Amino acid sequence: MTLTAFTVAERVLGFLFKIYLSREIGAVGMGVYSVALSFFFVLLTLITSGVPLVVSKLTAKLGRDESSGICSAALIFEIVVALVICGATMLFNKPIGALFAERQSMTLVMIMLPALVFSGVYSSFRGVLWGEKKFVTVSLVELIEQIARIVVCIILITLFRDSINAVALSMTVACAVSAAACAIFYFGGKRKLTSPKTHLKPLISSSVPITLSRTTSSINNYVIAVAIPFLLMSTGLNSEQSMYVYGSCVGMALPLLYLPITVVGSLAFVMIPTLSQAYAAGDKKSMCSQIEGALSFAILVAAIVLPVYGALGDDLGVLIYDNTDAGIFLKKSAWLLLPLSFENIASSMLNSLDLEKKSLINYLIGAAVMYVISFCFYSRFDMDIFMIAFGASLTVSSVLDIIDIKRRSGCKLSFLRPLFICLIASYPAWLFTEYVNSIMPGSIFSMFVAAAGGACFMALLSVIFGAVDFASVVNRRKKRKDSSKAKPTERPEKQSI
């Protein structure tokens, strides 16, 4: 609950910050910055995706006495890799920059390069703190980084004329702040750095496969950031116009679609250790119960928000971003909430069931479907085609994930019932939300009432038509209560994350 509270606070601050950015640098600026950020995240993933996880595991396994050597090994490896990547990026900045629709995107990448070194330092200290189960400390550092970035960005935008460059510079400063804060917490706990000789080789051998696997997703996001403006330009748009369309849709509207998935992400995080434990113990009944319940919950969360975005998307785009096109895209793409939410929880389940390679393969197959559909409409491409291609990608990946989950666990497809119910019920809920909003059109109060009413109406329909089975939930709680009374001396085993 503590981690979730910090995550929600960080996400809310990040969302408000994105609203501020969209109003300061506009849709074109958001497009240029989003492209630069997608490439920067590829570089960042190469440095920080595998090492923190391996450091945390080794620290938890070997204890605090060995953590100082582990941290030293991580620092050396991270800094060396960061410097090599920075050097290579600077050396090949012209050919890399030629891939971007706007040259300024490469300028932003160059400004953010020092952040890679700071992030390498941060992830090394963070891995030790995470391995020692200092969850609140790590979450606090991440919140400090978010606050620092917002404050620094506002100051820099006020001081400098070029707002987009100021946004990129704020990323570098924020990473420096988080690295310093993490180092303070590390050394403040009377920890130190010792010889890394015995830990360097196992650290590298364990972290490289994880890094390569996670980098695939970042590379795909970067390819999307390059391919979409290119396809838009094939229709006759110039680079600035393509950046405007990309920025208003992908840079502004798409983050709103991911916002409700935060709840599903929290469920996935909590579910990973318990599902892994049930799989290791061979408890198929517990596995199936968790899988079927989580999939149904993910569907319900998406379905409750779907009519709100579908009915109020255009108004929300104007209210939040002051951008009509962002609102139109949000309204049209509201249906993506279902495959987004479903794929998010299903891919986490595969990781819990030791099917990480299957998860990666399914993701790549889905991505291939998206590119095939998009390029089939070369010279006729628009964001409606992208929306369909993206939805098809998520749907294909989700179906493949479910096939693998069923093979491994033997669970039933009981989630299909709430899925069909939610699909049918979403349309009347959509109409109800539009009607409530039409009573006082253009009013923020009307939008708030319509959103709350639409979500509640959708939830009510889900209960009435049986998408939510309260009877089974009550029975399960009653059985657990009776079981605990019958065995008062037993204590549940502690679970480690």
Side-chain angles (χ1 to χ4, degrees):
M1 290 178 65
T2 303
L3 290 174
T4 303
F6 272 106
T7 302
V8 169
E10 187 182 349
R11 290 286 179 90
V12 170
L13 286 174
F15 179 67
L16 295 175
F17 179 55
K18 182 152 285 190
I19 296 173
Y20 168 78
L21 285 185
S22 67
R23 292 178 178 270
E24 285 293 328
I25 65 179
V28 175
M30 285 296 291
V32 173
Y33 177 64
S34 296
V35 171
L37 205 60
S38 65
F39 180 74
F40 173 77
F41 281 149
V42 173
L43 304 181
L44 189 65
T45 304
L46 285 169
I47 297 170
T48 63
S49 61
V51 171
L53 180 61
V54 174
V55 170
S56 65
K57 286 184 176 181
L58 291 175
T59 300
K61 182 180 178 180
L62 301 177
R64 184 162 180 168
D65 293 338
E66 297 292 330
S67 65
S68 56
I70 297 169
C71 187
S72 300
L75 279 170
I76 293 172
F77 179 63
E78 293 275 65
I79 292 174
V80 169
V81 172
L83 291 175
V84 169
I85 290 176
C86 288
T89 305
M90 293 174 67
L91 183 63
F92 298 103
N93 76 89
K94 289 186 178 180
I96 294 173
L99 298 174
F100 299 129
E102 281 287 340
R103 179 67 189 180
Q104 191 176 9
S105 294
M106 192 61 207
T107 303
L108 301 183
V109 172
M110 299 298 286
I111 294 173
M112 291 187 287
L113 278 183
L116 296 177
V117 180
F118 297 132
S119 297
V121 174
Y122 160 76
S123 63
S124 300
F125 292 127
R126 176 185 181 272
V128 174
L129 295 173
W130 195 265
E132 293 181 356
K133 299 181 176 60
K134 305 294 183 182
F135 303 124
V136 175
T137 301
V138 174
S139 300
L140 182 61
V141 171
E142 292 175 352
L143 188 60
I144 289 172
E145 178 184 352
Q146 187 73 277
I147 294 172
R149 190 182 176 209
I150 294 172
V151 173
V152 170
C153 186
I154 293 173
I155 294 173
L156 291 177
I157 287 178
T158 305
L159 295 177
F160 297 103
R161 290 183 179 179
D162 197 326
S163 299
I164 304 181
N165 287 349
V167 174
L169 184 57
S170 70
M171 170 71 81
T172 299
V173 175
C175 289
V177 170
S178 64
C182 218
I184 290 171
F185 282 116
Y186 179 86
F187 291 109
K190 297 181 180 180
R191 301 175 186 87
K192 57 184 179 179
L193 299 176
T194 57
S195 175
K197 288 183 179 180
T198 58
H199 300 290
L200 194 56
K201 186 176 179 180
L203 175 74
I204 295 174
S205 61
S206 299
S207 62
V208 168
I210 298 172
T211 299
L212 293 177
S213 176
R214 295 189 176 185
T215 302
T216 304
S217 176
S218 296
I219 292 175
N220 182 53
N221 292 333
Y222 166 65
V223 173
I224 290 174
V226 173
I228 300 306
F230 170 77
L231 288 169
L232 289 170
M233 290 171 68
S234 73
T235 65
L237 300 180
N238 59 35
S239 61
E240 183 176 346
Q241 290 170 333
S242 67
M243 280 295 108
Y244 171 83
V245 175
Y246 180 79
S248 59
C249 296
V250 178
M252 295 181 182
L254 211 57
L256 279 174
L257 285 175
Y258 279 97
L259 199 59
I261 311 303
T262 303
V263 180
V264 180
S266 298
L267 173 65
F269 178 78
V270 173
M271 186 180 179
I272 285 174
T274 56
L275 183 57
S276 298
Q277 186 181 35
Y279 171 67
D283 188 351
K284 287 196 172 184
K285 184 177 180 181
S286 175
M287 287 168 57
C288 293
S289 176
Q290 292 184 58
I291 290 169
E292 292 163 6
L295 291 173
S296 299
F297 175 77
I299 291 168
L300 187 62
V301 168
I304 288 175
V305 184
L306 192 157
V308 176
Y309 280 179
L312 307 176
D314 44 3
D315 293 332
L316 288 171
V318 175
L319 175 66
I320 296 173
Y321 295 118
D322 194 22
N323 187 292
T324 305
D325 292 319
I328 292 173
F329 183 79
L330 178 64
K331 185 182 183 74
K332 290 182 177 180
S333 62
W335 64 274
L336 287 174
L337 279 168
L338 280 170
L340 264 175
S341 181
F342 199 89
E343 197 274 339
N344 183 279
I345 195 73
S347 59
S348 294
M349 290 176 182
L350 287 180
N351 293 333
S352 300
L353 298 173
D354 292 341
L355 293 171
E356 293 90 351
K357 290 183 180 179
K358 284 285 188 180
S359 177
L360 176 60
I361 292 171
N362 296 346
Y363 174 80
L364 291 175
I365 292 173
V369 169
M370 179 180 66
Y371 291 121
V372 169
I373 294 175
S374 296
F375 279 91
C376 280
F377 290 88
Y378 182 81
S379 77
R380 294 175 294 160
F381 183 83
D382 57 23
M383 295 312 291
D384 289 340
I385 300 298
F386 170 71
M387 174 183 63
I388 295 171
F390 187 45
S393 168
L394 294 168
T395 302
V396 169
S397 296
S398 298
V399 171
L400 293 175
D401 288 347
I402 290 302
I403 292 173
D404 290 326
I405 290 171
K406 182 172 175 58
R407 286 175 179 171
R408 178 57 60 94
S409 65
C411 67
K412 298 179 181 178
L413 303 179
S414 60
F415 65 88
L416 291 176
R417 174 181 168 83
L419 175 61
F420 288 134
I421 292 173
C422 288
L423 285 173
I424 295 170
S426 62
Y427 184 66
W430 188 322
L431 295 177
F432 177 79
T433 308
E434 283 189 334
Y435 171 73
V436 174
N437 189 48
S438 67
I439 297 175
M440 293 182 290
S443 167
I444 296 178
F445 176 74
S446 176
M447 288 178 59
F448 176 78
V449 173
C456 291
F457 187 67
M458 181 66 202
L460 181 62
L461 290 177
S462 300
V463 174
I464 291 174
F465 292 104
V468 180
D469 191 356
F470 279 113
S472 62
V473 175
V474 172
N475 288 334
R476 280 199 298 267
R477 286 175 174 264
K478 187 176 180 181
K479 287 180 180 178
R480 289 175 186 171
K481 188 175 181 180
D482 293 340
S483 178
S484 63
K485 287 181 178 179
K487 301 177 181 179
T489 58
E490 293 186 3
R491 295 183 180 179
E493 295 181 0
K494 293 183 178 180
Q495 295 178 359
S496 60
I497 297 176

